[in-house]
Amino acid sequence: MRIRKKPWARPELEKCDFFIKNPKDYKGKWAVQFKNKENPIYLELGCGKGTFIAVHGAENPNINYIAIDIKDEVLVLAKRNIERAYEEKGREVDNLKLMAQEIALISDVFSREDIVHRIYINFCNPWPKERHKKRRLTHTRQLNNYREFLIDGGEIYFKTDDDELFEESLEYFKEAKFSIEYITYDLHNSDFVGNVETEHERMFTEQGIPTKFLIAKK
């Protein structure tokens, strides 16, 4: 779906204390951008409207979160959802950063010094055409990029509605030397505890499409 340009989105984001305007400037220095730099960092790739990361961040003050997407028009909605979730908890947004970044170029903004403990990939573009599959966020090429800053023993949580993407991602994880620690083809009817729904997840569930989910460990 093409997103209509919103000229007010970037100015609103740039007034936001937790929006990172120039993420390349922070490469190798992400931990010190948080008040508690000792907290582990969890990263969401493709945060969309931010409903998922807003819940996680507001409920877990002992974890630092970084959420990434590419479109200002989406990120501004994430900003608002994050502010709302924290306000409901009576908290300031002190453990979450939001930024615009092309995820294919993730190595431009993260290095080995930026130790990430967990990565979330939720309902990413499945890129079904063969010539486009290298663009997938779970493609082997991308997974090898994440390995550079994901701590040994760190995990990737991956959710999708797309059967082909899920099956082929299992091969990608194997090729990138990740082990599958947990897998289910119907998350909402599984024994997994603590799931936080995304906006896409709710939509697909209402359509009767089960959520596929796995945890891969480096």
Side-chain angles (χ1 to χ4, degrees):
M1 181 186 298
R2 185 176 296 274
I3 300 172
R4 182 177 297 176
K5 184 72 175 176
K6 298 180 174 67
W8 47 264
R10 174 57 64 150
E12 181 175 332
L13 286 168
E14 291 189 345
K15 292 178 183 177
C16 173
D17 291 338
F18 57 90
F19 178 72
I20 302 298
K21 302 177 185 66
N22 301 301
K24 290 182 181 180
D25 294 345
Y26 299 88
K27 183 176 180 178
K29 300 175 287 188
W30 282 106
V32 298
Q33 307 313 312
F34 295 93
K35 287 185 177 180
N36 189 340
K37 63 181 181 181
E38 303 303 323
N39 286 348
I41 293 176
Y42 288 9
L43 173 65
E44 185 182 10
L45 301 177
C47 66
K49 296 178 183 177
T51 54
F52 175 86
I53 207 71
V55 172
H56 272 289
E59 293 184 350
N60 296 285
N62 59 331
I63 298 169
N64 292 330
Y65 293 89
I66 302 173
I68 301 175
D69 215 299
I70 190 60
K71 293 287 188 181
D72 291 348
E73 290 75 16
V74 173
L75 285 167
V76 75
L77 301 178
K79 168 206 171 264
R80 295 177 181 182
N81 283 324
I82 290 164
E83 289 172 334
R84 187 177 302 113
Y86 277 74
E87 184 178 355
E88 289 173 357
K89 292 289 184 180
R91 292 186 53 210
E92 62 173 313
V93 185
D94 58 359
N95 68 325
L96 193 154
K97 303 295 181 185
L98 193 64
M99 66 170 161
Q101 172 64 30
E102 186 177 347
I103 297 168
L105 302 177
I106 194 75
S107 297
D108 288 350
V109 294
F110 286 93
S111 72
R112 292 183 181 181
E113 288 75 29
D114 298 308
I115 300 172
V116 172
H117 286 72
R118 183 180 296 174
I119 296 173
Y120 295 107
I121 303 174
N122 296 319
F123 297 90
C124 61
N125 191 327
W127 294 109
K129 293 183 179 179
E130 195 65 36
R131 67 180 183 273
H132 292 154
K133 288 184 178 181
K134 287 185 178 180
R135 301 181 186 182
R136 291 171 167 177
L137 297 189
T138 55
H139 191 273
T140 309
R141 181 173 63 177
Q142 284 297 104
L143 295 176
N144 285 329
N145 287 335
Y146 310 150
R147 287 186 67 90
E148 288 296 303
F149 52 83
L150 185 66
I151 194 170
D152 289 346
E155 296 172 329
I156 297 178
Y157 281 44
F158 172 52
K159 292 197 284 190
T160 183
D161 64 298
D162 191 278
D163 293 333
E164 181 182 80
L165 173 62
F166 195 69
E167 291 297 335
E168 294 184 3
S169 293
L170 291 174
E171 290 302 312
Y172 301 151
F173 281 108
K174 181 179 178 181
E175 290 171 0
K177 297 181 171 57
F178 283 82
S179 61
I180 303 301
E181 300 294 299
Y182 183 89
I183 186 169
T184 176
Y185 289 82
D186 189 352
L187 176 58
H188 294 179
N189 289 308
S190 72
D191 60 355
F192 183 78
V193 177
N195 180 52
V196 174
E197 284 189 332
T198 72
E199 60 267 19
H200 283 98
E201 189 172 348
R202 284 194 292 271
M203 178 182 70
F204 290 126
T205 299
E206 289 171 359
Q207 295 173 11
I209 301 171
T211 295
K212 275 64 72 175
F213 172 67
L214 66 78
I215 300 173
K217 185 174 182 179
K218 177 183 172 184

